[in-house]
Amino acid sequence: MSSMSRARKEPGFYRTLNSVSSADAAPRPKKRKLCGQSEAVFAASRLLQKRKKGGVIEYLVEWRGYSSYDSSWECVDNVSDDLISAYEGTKVFDVPAEDLFRAADAIRVAVQRQLRSQCRKAEAVPCAREVLFLWFRKEGRTGPNFALEAEDFPALYFPAGWDCSMDRHGQGQRVSYPITLKPTLRRSPRCFIRSPGGDIVEGRRSVSPFVLIQFAAVQSHI
């Protein structure tokens, strides 16, 4: 009891107590101050976007263990070098096998759907930038977009015949390379909510990584 009493009287105790709130448990920009004893550290899953605001580089961070609605813009000083390297593609990191197969399946389904359709509009499917860099980043290939030939797709995830759509008579269409993959983001629709103070404010939006797929197709038969 006596030690607790002394601790409560230490200089700065009440200032520190007042600087802490339950909001510190959520990874939002206002909780990532560079000073103060209440600063919290959160595990980031990936970087989604980059911008320059007021002369300062910021990254849109997806937080591990949190909703995509909780992604927040963070100053470059708060972001690790490894995360930046993964986003820029200057260093390739391992990606869980299930994430690779999930991304490959989404791309394959989208390609099959486009081959069966008369529309050649680009289609967006869930896929993170780091997956594309792991598969397709090669020396001499620059920029965030990828113009890919058949041999660029790893056979483990894209087996023979994945780029064709045939009927039982062997008639159909196949991809005319190159296939263009462009990393992008998909945001949930804008919405407005009533704040605790009674004002109408814009609500938070979900942000998720996608890739746009576009290619030409030609008639084919077996």
Side-chain angles (χ1 to χ4, degrees):
M1 180 68 69
S2 58
S3 61
M4 181 178 295
S5 176
R6 284 196 298 273
R8 289 173 61 87
K9 294 178 182 179
E10 289 178 354
F13 172 80
Y14 292 106
R15 182 171 65 251
T16 301
L17 182 62
N18 290 334
S19 69
V20 179
S21 72
S22 60
D24 286 326
R28 303 189 183 215
K30 61 183 179 182
K31 292 127 188 132
R32 295 188 58 81
K33 298 177 181 177
L34 296 180
C35 59
Q37 300 180 25
S38 63
E39 179 183 356
V41 177
F42 302 94
S45 175
R46 60 171 60 89
L47 304 182
L48 299 174
Q49 196 173 9
K50 178 182 179 181
R51 72 180 182 185
K52 197 169 186 179
K53 186 177 181 181
V56 177
I57 294 176
E58 295 180 338
Y59 289 93
L60 184 59
V61 181
E62 178 183 280
W63 301 102
R64 185 173 301 158
Y66 286 82
S67 165
S68 60
Y69 282 90
D70 290 317
S71 298
S72 60
W73 288 100
E74 300 295 337
C75 170
V76 64
D77 293 335
N78 291 343
V79 180
S80 72
D81 292 339
D82 281 349
L83 282 172
I84 294 174
S85 296
Y87 177 82
E88 301 291 353
T90 56
K91 185 177 180 181
V92 176
F93 295 87
D94 289 335
V95 177
E98 57 269 25
D99 291 348
L100 295 174
F101 279 108
R102 191 177 298 115
D105 290 349
I107 292 173
R108 291 172 62 184
V109 168
V111 168
Q112 288 292 315
R113 188 160 46 232
Q114 288 195 47
L115 286 172
R116 291 174 176 270
S117 171
Q118 298 300 318
C119 177
R120 289 291 173 262
K121 184 178 179 181
E123 183 170 352
V125 300
C127 184
R129 288 171 64 100
E130 59 265 28
V131 171
L132 300 181
F133 286 136
L134 180 63
W135 282 339
F136 305 125
R137 174 53 63 93
K138 293 182 179 179
E139 186 175 354
R141 181 178 286 158
T142 60
N145 302 339
F146 299 87
L148 304 166
E149 301 297 333
E151 59 271 18
D152 292 324
F153 289 84
L156 176 62
Y157 305 100
F158 301 90
W162 77 273
D163 53 359
C164 300
S165 179
M166 304 291 179
D167 60 23
R168 67 178 63 186
H169 305 294
Q171 303 296 318
Q173 291 190 319
R174 62 179 175 82
V175 170
S176 177
Y177 288 90
I179 292 180
T180 300
L181 301 182
K182 179 182 179 181
T184 187
L185 296 176
R186 176 168 288 183
R187 289 176 165 83
S188 61
R190 293 181 67 187
C191 64
F192 293 84
I193 59 175
R194 189 175 297 278
S195 71
D199 298 326
I200 301 298
V201 298
E202 185 173 353
R204 298 179 68 82
R205 301 174 68 183
S206 168
V207 184
S208 301
F210 275 68
V211 61
L212 288 173
I213 305 171
Q214 193 163 32
F215 59 90
V218 296
Q219 294 294 323
S220 181
H221 64 276
I222 297 176

